Amino acid sequence: MKVTARACANIALVKYWGKRDSTLNLPATGSLSLTLDALTTETTVEFDPALAADVLELDGTVVDARRIAGVLDRVRLRAGLATFARVTSRNDFPTASGLASSASGFAALALAASRAAGLPLDDKGLSALARHGSGSAARSIFGGFVRMRAGATDAEAYAEPVPSPLLDKVRMVIAIVGGGAPKSKLSRDAMEHTRLTSPYYRAWLELVPEDLAIAEAALAAGDLASLGEVAEANALAMHASAMAARPAIHYWQPATLALLAEIRGLRECGVSAWATMDAGPHVKILTTVDEAERVQAAVRVVDGVTAVTIAAAGAAASIV
Ligand code: PMV
């Protein structure tokens, strides 16, 4: 059967950076994110007996299919299937540039592949399956605010939605730096290098549960300022631990710092705006529905910013 699934990317407000187990892709800590409607991936999977190997076409180009073998092999094993798959995937935003394309991509793949194989999985099972492609993908199975559990075992490391009165009130302004060019260091390798060599990695592991507790309390209370403050501080701590690795991991460009200064300036003028950055130079700004356009106008003119998008909370992954 041929199945197409759609998933939205998500941006972490409390980051995942480091694994407890790289074979099972178990995160060292939990994390918390917002799924975004403006960044989507559509993936079609067809298991075809005529194929001698998996085939992956990403944004119109045939690429190495080994990167999706972890998810496809698990689906085949559990469905009792020996057939290879043809997978076609399309992002409506730049791939592999720190804009979370692996999150939406592997979430859409997990849903489309399990359905195409006739494997019935509940949301937790789908989330744990997507995690084998990319840790952040476990969160993109769900819409809105999402909590990822560190989980002690394969089946326990899944994500789940977190209800909050903030859901309809927030926006994420995405400032693209440098045209969304592919990043030089994949997050998978970079977080492992941080774990192995950064003197701040241990401090990072101690910090995350505290930040998660603050963020969850803010979500429950509808306290955007508290959520924004912890999100920006947590992102800076993640980057600090990566920058302290030996040799250092740098994702920022001059425009990244200029954006951070601009956002501080906006806050000094009373605007609700807080920044977060992932494995790339782009800056994503958590703000309100009413202030999103003002934030967009302010960051659009920062030198080095090539595009700005406003995203609202996105929906759960679904079959198209
Ligand atoms: O899911 P991965 O392996 O691409 O790692 C994601 C890492 C960050 O985006 C930097 C943080 C996160 O929690 O999404």
Side-chain angles (χ1 to χ4, degrees), residues 43 87 128 176 299:
T43 300
V87 178
I176 308 277
V299 299

Side-chain angles (χ1 to χ4, degrees), residues 6-317:
R6 178 184 299 138
C8 299
N10 71 78
I11 298 297
L13 299 171
V14 177
K15 306 290 184 190
Y16 146 59
W17 194 252
K19 300 179 200 299
R20 184 152 32 97
D21 180 327
S22 352
T23 315
L24 288 175
N25 210 27
L26 294 174
T29 65
S31 56
L32 190 134
S33 60
L34 177 61
T35 298
L36 299 178
D37 68 348
L39 312 174
T40 63
T41 300
E42 235 177 68
T43 300
T44 303
V45 177
E46 183 179 19
F47 288 95
D48 180 352
L51 290 173
D54 293 321
V55 181
L56 170 61
E57 191 188 299
L58 193 56
D59 289 328
T61 309
V62 176
V63 296
D64 192 343
R66 269 177 302 184
R67 69 174 85 172
I68 57 169
V71 170
L72 291 178
D73 286 345
R74 275 184 171 79
V75 169
R76 276 188 283 258
L77 188 72
R78 292 166 70 172
L81 205 68
T83 327
F84 290 107
R86 182 175 297 104
V87 178
T88 314
S89 190
R90 210 163 265 288
N91 292 320
D92 67 355
F93 60 96
T95 301
S97 69
L99 271 180
S101 57
S102 66
S104 49
F106 281 111
L109 176 70
L111 179 55
S114 57
R115 282 292 177 89
L119 180 69
L121 288 179
D122 63 9
D123 283 350
K124 287 177 186 170
L126 270 176
S127 176
L129 173 63
R131 194 199 73 236
H132 285 284
S134 144
S136 54
R139 300 186 308 239
S140 271
I141 295 297
F142 303 96
F145 292 107
V146 179
R147 150 196 327 122
M148 175 74 198
R149 295 168 173 272
T153 64
D154 187 11
E156 284 167 13
Y158 57 81
E160 57 203 353
V162 184
S164 170
L166 289 178
L167 192 61
D168 299 328
K169 301 189 177 114
V170 296
R171 290 292 180 271
M172 194 79 101
V173 178
I174 302 161
I176 308 277
V177 170
K183 62 192 167 199
S184 51
K185 196 144 179 72
L186 291 173
S187 44
R188 183 175 284 255
D189 303 329
M191 63 175 78
E192 186 61 5
H193 177 66
T194 304
R195 181 179 77 80
L196 293 172
T197 71
S198 175
Y200 296 162
Y201 182 68
R202 203 180 282 268
W204 164 251
L205 294 185
E206 282 168 21
L207 175 75
V208 174
E210 293 167 23
D211 283 354
L212 280 173
I214 296 168
E216 293 235 8
L219 284 179
D223 183 347
L224 182 63
S226 165
L227 181 68
E229 275 163 30
V230 76
E232 185 168 312
N234 182 268
L236 292 171
M238 179 206 111
H239 283 270
S241 77
M243 283 183 210
R246 300 175 184 202
I249 295 160
H250 292 284
Y251 287 115
W252 296 1
Q253 289 180 16
T256 312
L257 277 168
L259 283 162
L260 285 172
E262 183 63 40
I263 294 152
R264 277 198 304 275
L266 283 169
R267 278 204 299 271
E268 277 158 23
C269 297
V271 179
S272 301
W274 297 271
T276 185
M277 295 76 62
D278 294 282
H282 321 298
V283 178
K284 298 97 179 188
I285 304 131
L286 181 70
T287 184
T288 64
V289 180
D290 297 339
E291 291 160 301
E293 281 176 15
R294 174 159 179 200
V295 173
Q296 181 181 40
V299 299
R300 172 177 278 154
V301 295
V302 170
D303 214 22
V305 171
T306 51
V308 185
T309 308
I310 299 177

